[in-house]
């Protein structure tokens, strides 16, 4: 008979669109064909097709291992499996240059619509309609395949909220609320649209350089196969694979507040590109993240800003006539955008955009939560570490989704329509000091201010938020 879910699509969507705290959905995807998407199965589906892997060192230092500090290879999933299983190097292809005991590999940010473009029928293996988003499938989702130790640096996503399905292996998520932004020392270097990175290496924080980090509140959860994590808007997250092989699938859900966020991102892009492009490039100054194809010109950035402002007001005007209807029907939001980093191209028109209110306080959520959240065995709240710490560690959500056990314990994507830059570095992922960001070295001078120091102040989330508010007020008048 029909598989019975613990939440109806309408109730699941209500939770996703209103809950301002991370939570894990259980028993919602038991009948999804995508649960069979382990690496062995996917390698058969892809028939030897190569994909890009990011490789980083397993050793942990005080500096985050940003994407600019990693190596990249093009390899098949068969070669990845051979390498991760310790098979002869002749079967590992380009991985043979990397010692498995020293390196991790991550095929991250992979658009399912792109890598399976010749097999569109596979999109239906992913059914986000169960969460209240009809029509959303694998076509609007992203695939992540990693080895043990693979990780995403701590960051927050400027756009939307995030639904993450764990398929194979386990991942540990370290989440921090928006109010902790100043404690996480935000930076836009390396720059990529829609991602604000933390200077702090969450796995090994340097409290001498970043003393305020001790005031942050970590929410730590281990996501197991068959579970779906909700990452609310603007929640910071550091994600690491803790099993030999992990597979995850996610989809970013667009929110009304994204229209203003696009204005903020346009301002940030203009400032970063203008200042960094004017600077004499230092040897190995990799300020542009590999997800960004190029530093766009000032003219293009200005067009982008004007388009973002224009669409903001267009959506705001539309919302006046649709606000009452939206509240009563819960009309579909965001199904037209497959990724959180979809840049507003100059000349394009968004579909179904509505903006109900402005939000200028970066740390304060605007949506009201339902009066009664149905937490229980099917929806498990990820609590602050201090509230749920046992004698040996932090809260973990187990795969049977029935109990919360104590044990000793995300994902973002490249832009749609933009081919990832094929950044190939040396076989040694340890970047020499002169190739690090100018303010990343633990021994950086405290007296000589760099361009990046200035940018950290100019494009601070709070400053950009204020600039966007002033700009929109000026434009409205």
């Amino acid at each position: 008979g029909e598989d019975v879910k613990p939440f109806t699509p309408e109730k699941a969507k209500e939770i996703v669109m209103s809950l301002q705290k991370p939570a894990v959905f259980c028993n919602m995807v038991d009948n999804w064909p995508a649960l069979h998407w382990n690496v062995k199965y996917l390698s058969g589906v892809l028939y030897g097709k190569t994909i890009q892997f990011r490789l980083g060192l397993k050793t942990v230092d005080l500096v985050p291992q940003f994407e600019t500090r990693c190596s990249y290879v093009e390899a098949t999933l068969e070669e990845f499996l051979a390498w991760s299983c310790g098979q002869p190097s002749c079967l590992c292809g380009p991985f043979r240059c990397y010692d498995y005991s020293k390196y991790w590999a991550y095929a991250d940010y992979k658009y399912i619509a792109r890598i399976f473009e010749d097999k569109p029928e596979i999109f239906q293996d992913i059914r986000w309609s169960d969460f209240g988003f009809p029509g959303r499938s694998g076509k609007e989702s992203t695939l992540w395949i990693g080895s043990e130790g693979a990780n995403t640096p701590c960051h927050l996503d400027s756009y939307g909220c995030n639904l993450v399905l764990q398929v194979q292996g386990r991942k540990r998520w370290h989440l921090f609320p928006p109010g902790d932004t100043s404690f996480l020392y935000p930076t836009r270097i390396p720059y990529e649209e829609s991602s604000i990175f933390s200077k702090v290496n969450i796995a090994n924080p340097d409290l001498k350089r970043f003393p305020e980090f001790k005031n942050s509140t970590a929410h730590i959860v281990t996501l197991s196969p068959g579970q779906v994590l909700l990452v609310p808007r603007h929640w910071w997250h550091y994600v690491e694979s803790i099993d030999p092989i992990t597979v995850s699938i996610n989809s970013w859900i667009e929110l009304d507040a994204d229209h203003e966020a696009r204005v903020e991102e346009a301002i940030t892009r203009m400032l970063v590109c203008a200042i960094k492009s004017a600077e004499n490039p230092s040897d190995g100054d990799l300020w542009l993240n590999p997800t960004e194809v190029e530093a766009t010109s000032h003219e293009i950035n200005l067009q982008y800003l004007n388009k973002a402002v224009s669409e903001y007001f267009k959506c705001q005007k539309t919302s006046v006539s649709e606000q009452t209807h939206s509240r009563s029907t819960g009309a579909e939001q965001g199904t037209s955008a497959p990724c959180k980093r979809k840049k507003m191209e100059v000349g394009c028109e968004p579909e179904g955009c509505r903006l109900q209110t402005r939000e200028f306080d970066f740390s304060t959520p605007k949506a009201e939560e339902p009066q009664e959240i149905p937490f229980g065995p099917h929806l498990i709240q990820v609590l602050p570490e201090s509230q749920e710490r046992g004698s040996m560690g932090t809260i973990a959500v187990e795969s049977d989704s029935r109990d919360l056990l104590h044990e000793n314990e995300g994902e973002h994507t490249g832009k749609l329509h933009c081919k990832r830059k094929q950044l190939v570095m040396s076989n040694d992922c340890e970047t020499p000091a002169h190739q690090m960001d100018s303010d990343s070295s633990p021994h950086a001078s405290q007296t000589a201010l760099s361009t990046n120091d200035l940018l950290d102040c100019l494009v601070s989330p709070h400053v950009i938020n204020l600039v966007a508010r002033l700009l929109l007020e000026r434009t409205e008048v």
Side-chain angles (χ1 to χ4, degrees):
E2 187 69 20
D3 186 64
V4 178
K5 309 289 184 182
F7 302 110
T8 64
E10 294 75 19
K11 185 61 179 180
K13 182 178 180 180
E14 178 189 357
I15 295 170
V16 169
M17 301 302 288
S18 60
L19 185 58
Q20 299 298 320
K21 302 170 185 175
V24 175
F25 286 92
C26 303
N27 307 313
M28 284 290 290
V29 298
D30 294 344
N31 64 337
W32 286 23
L35 286 183
H36 302 294
W37 283 26
N38 56 42
V39 173
K40 186 175 181 179
Y41 169 80
L42 292 173
S43 66
V45 175
L46 289 174
Y47 293 113
K49 183 176 183 178
T50 61
I51 56 178
Q52 187 181 69
F53 286 83
R54 175 166 60 96
L55 291 107
L57 285 169
K58 289 183 177 180
T59 55
V60 180
D61 58 21
L62 295 175
V63 181
Q65 199 163 175
F66 292 121
E67 294 174 51
T68 51
R69 302 181 67 219
C70 292
S71 299
Y72 293 82
V73 300
E74 293 282 338
T76 65
L77 287 182
E78 290 88 349
E79 291 166 336
F80 169 73
L81 271 175
W83 177 71
S84 61
C85 294
Q87 296 184 20
S89 60
C90 62
L91 302 176
C92 300
F95 287 110
R96 65 182 178 275
C97 300
Y98 300 88
D99 186 340
Y100 180 77
S101 66
K102 296 181 180 179
Y103 289 91
W104 49 258
Y106 210 2
D108 46 5
Y109 322 138
K110 301 300 179 248
Y111 292 118
I112 292 173
R114 184 175 298 164
I115 62 177
F116 296 107
E117 59 185 352
D118 57 338
K119 298 178 176 63
E121 65 277 3
I122 204 172
F123 300 160
Q124 303 309 314
D125 286 4
I126 301 165
R127 305 170 179 174
W128 297 115
S129 57
D130 286 341
F131 287 84
F133 301 97
R136 183 177 289 256
S137 65
K139 188 177 181 181
E140 296 84 20
S141 304
T142 311
L143 182 67
W144 309 70
I145 302 172
S147 66
E148 184 176 2
N151 63 81
T152 304
C154 187
H155 68 285
L156 70 77
D157 303 326
S158 302
Y159 306 144
C161 63
N162 194 2
L163 285 174
V164 186
L165 165 65
Q166 193 63 26
V167 176
Q168 181 179 3
R170 297 170 300 156
K171 279 185 174 178
R172 183 180 295 121
W173 287 71
H174 303 244
L175 301 119
F176 301 86
D180 282 1
T181 293
S182 61
F183 304 147
L184 290 162
Y185 297 84
T187 183
R188 295 312 297 260
I189 304 295
Y191 172 76
E192 73 175 22
E193 184 184 343
S194 84
S195 293
I196 303 175
F197 291 104
S198 168
K199 288 186 177 182
V200 182
N201 185 351
I202 303 303
N204 187 28
D206 184 352
L207 295 180
K208 290 184 178 180
R209 287 194 68 206
F210 310 115
E212 292 299 312
F213 177 70
K214 66 180 182 296
N215 296 320
S216 65
T217 304
H219 296 59
I220 304 177
V221 63
T222 298
L223 198 64
S224 297
Q227 298 175 336
V228 176
L229 173 66
L230 166 64
V231 182
R233 182 175 188 261
H234 284 174
W235 272 73
W236 293 83
H237 46 285
Y238 167 79
V239 190
E240 56 182 337
S241 297
I242 60 175
D243 282 332
I245 295 178
T246 62
V247 176
S248 306
I249 298 170
N250 85 292
S251 189
W252 281 277
I253 309 298
E254 281 198 335
L255 302 173
D256 288 334
D258 291 347
H259 300 300
E260 183 182 343
R262 294 189 189 282
V263 176
E264 297 179 359
E265 286 297 294
I267 296 170
T268 300
R269 173 177 283 272
M270 176 171 287
L271 289 173
V272 172
C273 289
I275 292 177
K276 293 299 290 186
S277 298
E279 183 180 45
N280 290 327
S282 60
D283 185 23
D285 181 19
L286 303 176
W287 65 272
L288 198 65
N289 217 41
T291 51
E292 293 287 336
V293 177
E294 61 182 354
T296 45
S297 68
H298 181 76
E299 290 73 21
I300 292 296
N301 291 336
L302 186 59
Q303 291 180 48
Y304 180 24
L305 174 61
N306 277 284
K307 187 64 178 177
V309 170
S310 174
E311 295 301 335
Y312 171 90
F313 284 114
K314 183 183 296 183
C315 295
Q316 187 182 49
K317 183 178 181 180
T318 303
S319 71
V320 173
S321 59
E322 294 186 355
Q323 187 172 14
T324 303
H325 177 71
S326 299
R327 286 177 176 173
S328 61
T329 64
E332 176 67 18
Q333 299 185 42
T335 56
S336 62
C339 69
K340 65 145 181 133
R341 295 188 198 174
K342 184 175 180 183
K343 184 164 64 174
M344 184 179 295
E345 302 293 344
V346 175
C348 74
E349 300 293 331
E351 299 179 11
C353 57
R354 301 189 316 279
L355 188 63
Q356 296 177 0
T357 60
R358 288 190 187 178
E359 178 188 8
F360 299 121
D361 186 348
F362 189 86
S363 63
T364 304
K366 86 177 172 179
E368 294 184 2
E369 296 181 12
Q371 292 184 356
E372 185 176 349
I373 298 294
F375 292 122
H378 305 297
L379 182 67
I380 303 174
Q381 183 178 355
V382 182
L383 296 175
E385 185 180 15
S386 59
Q387 292 184 22
E388 285 293 330
R389 177 179 292 279
S391 59
M392 293 297 293
T394 57
I395 186 172
V397 183
E398 293 303 307
S399 58
D400 64 7
S401 69
R402 293 294 177 180
D403 299 298
L404 300 183
L405 301 180
H406 296 284
E407 64 179 44
N408 185 20
E409 298 285 75
E411 268 134 229
H412 66 251
T413 72
K415 292 181 180 57
L416 193 64
H417 309 311
C418 293
K419 182 178 180 181
R420 283 179 66 99
K421 181 179 178 182
Q422 303 299 310
L423 178 66
V424 180
M425 301 172 65
S426 65
N427 287 348
D428 185 359
C429 288
E430 291 183 294
T431 306
H434 70 276
Q435 291 188 1
M436 294 173 58
D437 298 332
S438 59
D439 61 347
S440 294
S441 170
H443 306 293
S445 169
Q446 298 299 312
T447 57
L449 293 174
S450 68
T451 301
N452 292 352
D453 292 324
L454 175 62
L455 280 173
D456 281 340
C457 298
L458 285 178
V459 298
S460 162
H462 296 286
V463 174
I464 291 296
N465 185 268
L466 176 60
V467 172
R469 178 180 183 178
L470 294 172
L471 188 63
L472 291 171
E473 289 178 350
R474 173 189 293 264
T475 307
E476 190 173 29
V477 172

